[in-house]
Amino acid sequence: MPQTRFQIEEILSQDVHGALFLAIDGESGDEVLLQRFFPFGVGERGLDAEERVSYDHAIEQMKHLSHPKLRSVIDGGSDPVDGIPFMVTESRRGMSLQRYVSRRLISETEGVTMADHALELMEWFEQQFGRDVDWLSLHPADVEVLEEGCLFRFRIDPMKWLGLRQGPSLLGDLANLLESSRGWTEQMVAASEMGPLADWLRAVKSREWSARDALRLLRGEEIPVSSPAASAAIPKMALVKYASHPSPAMASRPIQAKSSMLRYGWLSLVLVLLSVGGGIWWYKTKKTSEDRVVHSAPSKKKGKEQPSPEAEVLKSKEANLEGDYVPQESREIRKRMGQEISLMEKVSAVSLSSSGKSLYIEFSGGGQADSRVRGRYLTELGMKGMSLKELAHLKGKKVRIRGKVTEERPTGRLIIDLTSSSQISVVEGR
């Protein structure tokens, strides 16, 4: 492979296993992720001549695999000098599970969906190669969350191809990932945990299962009597995928557990009551605010009625709830912590932090730069269109960014959290 094809732009992460880079594919012009890894540890040798041949053959096989829940392999090889192998995949389209869970733990529905998609991919591998292959990387940093938790995408772990990374069984890694993502830290799911995912985890941990039978169990399908898993202890509660956005394969599958339907029916009723109560509260609050403005004592100037100061402040706040903030309104923006807002101003700088982990969009205005609100993108996400090179053109232009308000630790800065280029728009001349 020509070594000039992939131009490295920046490093995204590095650990004892290797390094991950954001790069540009010289043939397509697309952003890609290039991973260099140490097969035998830091400071140890790379692949020898025979191992390189095997690795190149495996790469060629992987390049022909295409599945909507798999991040495609574009190329790979090994350094001709030190034999250190590398692999190039398409860039991420979603947020990493690690980042997603740092904001909130996945829901029961999302957990069932993630298990379904991983097992579907494992079964597909078996069909492609005629045997079980434990090649998926089930580390939270390598799993992508798309469509608000309705789709999960995985990547192949090259260390597993080479048989250099040993761990739990095929389903053991998946079970550990699901438990940590749900906040279940015990090795076995606590008996008090209820629901399809907890029941499924207890069942698959009771003995060895194939990916196919584990998927059947998760989907509530019948397991053939001839299958070794048929004699396993099956939980009493039917295991049913009940995602709010079911996949086409699941959409026609009836729910089989009446007790589950009853329980979720009560939950729906509670949600409706909460919604009604919330609507009443909102109406009363809005009415009170309107009354405060209407009954405020007006001031007079040249015979015209002027709004009171209280009414002006209320009007300003209400306008910002619908429109754009400016960076100098940090006090009001802080009140919107955890909420999504729109901010518009001229960009003064686009820069990386000293560690390279954060990319900042800084804005013009009075006051010290460190005390003003700024946009922040975490480079580990590796999203297309969000590199320093691609965002540098924003400097000097008026832009609008939209995202959730967070506080950066340990700096205490107010941050508008950015995860994709769709949250940024140029409004020059408006």
Side-chain angles (χ1 to χ4, degrees), residues 276-333:
V276 173
I280 295 173
W281 174 86
W282 177 85
Y283 175 78
K284 288 184 176 180
T285 302
K286 184 174 184 293
K287 182 66 176 174
T288 301
S289 298
E290 290 174 347
D291 289 343
R292 288 174 61 196
V293 175
V294 170
H295 295 295
S296 296
S299 59
K300 300 286 184 177
K301 185 178 181 181
K302 294 183 180 181
K304 293 183 179 181
E305 185 176 286
Q306 300 294 324
S308 68
E310 181 183 10
E312 285 291 348
V313 171
L314 183 60
K315 181 179 179 181
S316 174
K317 289 182 179 180
E318 288 176 343
N320 265 346
L321 289 176
E322 298 294 332
D324 301 309
Y325 284 86
V326 293
Q328 294 85 348
E329 295 178 296
S330 58
R331 184 172 297 178
E332 295 304 322
I333 293 174

Side-chain angles (χ1 to χ4, degrees), residues 255-368:
I255 294 181
Q256 302 171 4
K258 294 183 179 180
S259 59
S260 296
M261 294 177 66
L262 182 60
R263 183 174 63 184
Y264 297 123
W266 277 109
L267 178 60
S268 299
L269 178 59
V270 171
L271 290 175
V272 169
L273 292 175
L274 288 174
S275 299
V276 173
I280 295 173
W281 174 86
W282 177 85
Y283 175 78
K284 288 184 176 180
T285 302
K286 184 174 184 293
K287 182 66 176 174
T288 301
S289 298
E290 290 174 347
D291 289 343
R292 288 174 61 196
V293 175
V294 170
H295 295 295
S296 296
S299 59
K300 300 286 184 177
K301 185 178 181 181
K302 294 183 180 181
K304 293 183 179 181
E305 185 176 286
Q306 300 294 324
S308 68
E310 181 183 10
E312 285 291 348
V313 171
L314 183 60
K315 181 179 179 181
S316 174
K317 289 182 179 180
E318 288 176 343
N320 265 346
L321 289 176
E322 298 294 332
D324 301 309
Y325 284 86
V326 293
Q328 294 85 348
E329 295 178 296
S330 58
R331 184 172 297 178
E332 295 304 322
I333 293 174
R334 188 173 290 277
K335 295 177 182 178
R336 302 289 302 279
M337 193 71 69
Q339 301 176 41
E340 187 176 89
I341 70 164
S342 177
L343 182 143
M344 184 167 67
E345 185 58 273
K346 187 175 182 180
V347 175
S348 62
V350 179
S351 62
L352 286 172
S353 64
S354 58
S355 66
K357 294 182 178 180
S358 298
L359 186 150
Y360 296 110
I361 297 179
E362 301 176 48
F363 297 97
S364 306
Q368 296 295 317

Side-chain angles (χ1 to χ4, degrees), residues 48-66:
D48 60 28
E50 186 177 345
E51 290 167 338
R52 292 186 197 186
V53 172
S54 298
Y55 183 66
D56 290 343
H57 178 68
I59 285 287
E60 286 302 315
Q61 286 184 300
M62 297 306 109
K63 285 165 62 175
H64 296 292
L65 294 177
S66 179

Side-chain angles (χ1 to χ4, degrees), residues 113-391:
T113 301
M114 180 164 68
D116 185 283
H117 292 180
L119 291 167
E120 179 187 323
L121 198 52
M122 291 176 184
E123 183 181 11
W124 182 76
F125 275 137
E126 182 180 346
Q127 294 169 353
Q128 297 296 309
F129 295 95
R131 59 185 177 87
D132 289 341
V133 288
D134 184 12
W135 289 346
L136 288 188
S137 174
L138 294 173
H139 187 279
D142 295 328
V143 180
E144 290 179 71
V145 185
L146 300 97
E147 300 178 11
E148 298 296 324
C150 293
L151 175 64
F152 291 83
R153 200 165 71 136
F154 304 83
R155 78 167 179 84
I156 293 172
D157 184 348
M159 299 284 278
K160 288 185 175 181
W161 300 354
L162 302 172
L164 299 174
R165 178 171 293 164
Q166 302 297 324
S169 63
L170 183 68
L171 294 179
D173 276 336
L174 178 59
N176 292 339
L177 177 69
L178 290 165
E179 289 177 359
S180 63
S181 300
R182 285 286 289 138
W184 298 333
T185 56
E186 297 297 327
Q187 192 171 19
M188 292 294 289
V189 181
S192 59
E193 295 293 348
M194 300 293 290
L197 184 61
D199 288 339
W200 180 82
L201 284 168
R202 277 191 284 268
V204 297
K205 283 195 167 189
S206 65
R207 60 177 301 166
E208 289 294 324
W209 290 70
S210 67
R212 177 178 300 179
D213 286 337
L215 184 58
R216 286 169 174 161
L217 179 65
L218 184 71
R219 291 178 173 177
E221 297 175 350
E222 183 178 348
I223 299 176
V225 178
S226 59
S227 172
S231 60
I234 307 298
K236 293 180 180 180
M237 181 178 177
L239 291 164
V240 181
K241 184 176 180 182
Y242 58 93
S244 57
H245 301 282
S247 63
M250 296 295 296
S252 61
R253 191 169 289 118
I255 294 181
Q256 302 171 4
K258 294 183 179 180
S259 59
S260 296
M261 294 177 66
L262 182 60
R263 183 174 63 184
Y264 297 123
W266 277 109
L267 178 60
S268 299
L269 178 59
V270 171
L271 290 175
V272 169
L273 292 175
L274 288 174
S275 299
V276 173
I280 295 173
W281 174 86
W282 177 85
Y283 175 78
K284 288 184 176 180
T285 302
K286 184 174 184 293
K287 182 66 176 174
T288 301
S289 298
E290 290 174 347
D291 289 343
R292 288 174 61 196
V293 175
V294 170
H295 295 295
S296 296
S299 59
K300 300 286 184 177
K301 185 178 181 181
K302 294 183 180 181
K304 293 183 179 181
E305 185 176 286
Q306 300 294 324
S308 68
E310 181 183 10
E312 285 291 348
V313 171
L314 183 60
K315 181 179 179 181
S316 174
K317 289 182 179 180
E318 288 176 343
N320 265 346
L321 289 176
E322 298 294 332
D324 301 309
Y325 284 86
V326 293
Q328 294 85 348
E329 295 178 296
S330 58
R331 184 172 297 178
E332 295 304 322
I333 293 174
R334 188 173 290 277
K335 295 177 182 178
R336 302 289 302 279
M337 193 71 69
Q339 301 176 41
E340 187 176 89
I341 70 164
S342 177
L343 182 143
M344 184 167 67
E345 185 58 273
K346 187 175 182 180
V347 175
S348 62
V350 179
S351 62
L352 286 172
S353 64
S354 58
S355 66
K357 294 182 178 180
S358 298
L359 186 150
Y360 296 110
I361 297 179
E362 301 176 48
F363 297 97
S364 306
Q368 296 295 317
D370 284 346
S371 65
R372 295 197 300 273
V373 187
R374 59 178 66 181
R376 183 191 67 181
Y377 166 72
L378 298 179
T379 57
E380 67 174 15
L381 297 178
M383 297 294 288
K384 185 175 182 179
M386 293 296 285
S387 66
L388 178 62
K389 181 178 180 180
E390 291 173 301
L391 295 180

